[in-house]
Amino acid sequence: MNWIKQQVANVAGTQEPIYGPTAIQSVAKQAEVTPYTELGIENFRWVAMESTCVETQTFYLLADSGHLGMVQVIYSNVAGIHTTCQFNTKIFYPDGKTPILWSSDAVDNYGFDEQKLSFYADGCAITLSEDGTSYAVKSATNEASIVNMKITRTAPGFHVGKDGKSYFGTDPAHPWGSMRHGFWPRCKVEGSIMTKAGEVDFKGRGFFSHALQGMKPHHAAAKWNFVNFQSPTYSAIMMEYTTPPAYGSTVVNVGGIVQDGEIICAGSGNSAQHTEVKDDPDNEWPEPSAVKFLWSGKTKDGKEVKAELSGDLGVRLDKIDVMAKVPGFIKAIVGGVAGTKPYIYQYSPQHRLALKINIEGNEQIEEGVLFSEATFIS
């Protein structure tokens, strides 16, 4: 009966019943035995589900010039009835004055290579190299932002746990939904985005995430925190979501810290805290103004790792009213659910924050660039 209620909620866009925390099998359970798994080429295949899902490949860009950017492709399926793909590009300018560049375009004639490792559509392609160590990203879907870049991983990729997935459903043997994130936490970026005002060189560092929400996004998560910190030596990344009350408001956190060539630690023993907030008068969400991000894990040889990144977020980069910005297909997924008013807050503090990392009593402190998001959905 629960499965039927869940399917009705999926198709109709209604809120789900309260199943409780036992209806999510968090990846944290896997991480108790297998904190993380290093990923090979086969772990970055597109799943392209034929039922309700949102699958994304997102490249976060931190240029040496101070520009921040994002290039993303979204594959979305609504109840197995309607599938759409979207190519998004965003540029934040370091002067704080130039308007943010945002391009979002539905793409036609999309598909994948035979192994489902590369995505293509009219005017764009995201191609994984044969050795699985770099992506070529090219897009002419929007003349305001022509993308031509190469993203090469400089540290191993990972997902948390054995298979990287949290499962949703009252019968663990037959889950009705799932959530997975696979990461390249530290990358070298080469190439540029050509805008109408000229070329923006994105030579610098990057972070790549392949995410699959195998259910309606607002059914899986009520809020999110995302952390991407890049310094000369370290990359510290984190993705945390809190489920809606239907699944017990359960917090699931996946993240890790790497340096060139190796994973220092990764797992689910991390946390994202908003240490100072202010109410947003537009929507009453508690917008963060200061944060504390904590990582905890062990090195391969069993040394304890603790790390902290904390401080004021400074002037917000952007606030996104998702229902006003997103393409129609996402609106169709979210539907008219009462209490669903998704907003994304994006930050990159103008003052550099420092990562404190302690490996078995040996502490290092290093400043770097933070890009973070706080998302509230319901």
Side-chain angles (χ1 to χ4, degrees), residues 87 153 157 172 232 260 284 292 372:
F87 193 92
R153 67 172 176 83
D260 283 340
E284 298 177 349
K292 181 192 285 185
S372 71

Side-chain angles (χ1 to χ4, degrees), residues 176-301:
W176 57 53
S178 65
M179 177 88 80
R180 175 189 180 264
H181 290 86
F183 303 122
W184 282 1
R186 189 170 178 86
C187 302
K188 178 178 78 170
V189 178
E190 304 164 274
S192 65
I193 299 175
M194 180 63 76
T195 73
K196 289 182 176 177
E199 186 175 33
V200 179
D201 184 356
F202 269 98
K203 177 181 176 292
R205 291 193 178 88
F207 164 62
F208 166 63
S209 171
H210 186 152
L212 173 61
Q213 300 182 52
M215 58 198 297
K216 288 198 170 192
H218 62 290
H219 285 176
K223 57 184 178 182
W224 289 87
N225 283 292
F226 167 60
V227 183
N228 172 21
F229 174 85
Q230 304 286 335
S231 75
T233 308
Y234 303 108
S235 297
I237 60 102
M238 186 188 297
M239 192 76 81
E240 180 185 277
Y241 62 93
T242 304
T243 71
Y247 299 98
S249 299
T250 301
V251 177
V252 181
N253 187 306
V254 293
I257 299 175
V258 308
Q259 58 189 13
D260 283 340
E262 71 169 318
I263 295 170
I264 297 171
C265 72
S268 62
N270 322 300
S271 67
Q273 303 167 27
H274 298 174
T275 54
E276 292 179 25
V277 299
K278 53 181 186 277
D279 284 341
D280 184 338
D282 290 344
N283 52 40
E284 298 177 349
W285 287 126
E287 180 189 352
S289 52
V291 290
K292 181 192 285 185
F293 303 124
L294 300 173
W295 288 263
S296 179
K298 289 187 176 181
T299 63
K300 281 184 178 175
D301 55 358

Side-chain angles (χ1 to χ4, degrees), residues 83-104:
T83 302
T84 324
C85 291
Q86 198 87 3
F87 193 92
N88 298 328
T89 307
K90 191 166 191 176
I91 300 175
F92 300 98
Y93 291 84
D95 62 11
K97 299 172 188 172
T98 305
I100 295 164
L101 185 148
W102 166 250
S103 304
S104 183

